[in-house]
Amino acid sequence: TERTREIAQARQIAMYLSREMTSISLKDIGDVFGGRDHTTVLHAVRKILAERASDPDLNQHLHVLEQTLRG
């Protein structure tokens, strides 16, 4: 469903930001997100990177999120 897709994308974005903005390992990020495998985290990071490169709106949203999180 659309809601499921939205939740999955939000989780992938959170994984992406966790990886990009911290030095936490893929395994540890996966553990925090409900025991997901490190390959799931890697997939999420790569997926969001690709979407960010092709979607200006997503890129802008991520930029705002990063700036907000950095303070």
Side-chain angles (χ1 to χ4, degrees):
T1 67
E2 183 65 27
R3 178 159 169 74
T4 304
R5 201 170 308 123
E6 287 174 1
I7 292 168
Q9 185 182 40
R11 183 185 311 109
Q12 289 171 336
I13 288 171
M15 289 180 181
Y16 166 80
L17 291 171
S18 297
R19 181 62 175 169
E20 293 294 309
M21 299 185 75
T22 72
S23 59
I24 301 171
S25 71
L26 294 173
K27 181 194 178 311
D28 288 345
I29 292 170
D31 289 346
V32 169
F33 284 92
R36 285 171 166 77
D37 191 79
H38 75 278
T39 58
T40 302
V41 179
L42 184 59
H43 171 75
V45 170
R46 289 177 173 166
K47 182 173 186 281
I48 298 302
L49 273 171
E51 289 180 8
R52 183 177 199 172
S54 65
D55 183 344
D57 288 336
L58 178 61
N59 184 50
Q60 177 61 28
H61 281 56
L62 288 171
H63 178 73
V64 170
L65 271 172
E66 289 164 341
Q67 294 303 313
T68 302
L69 290 169
R70 286 189 179 108

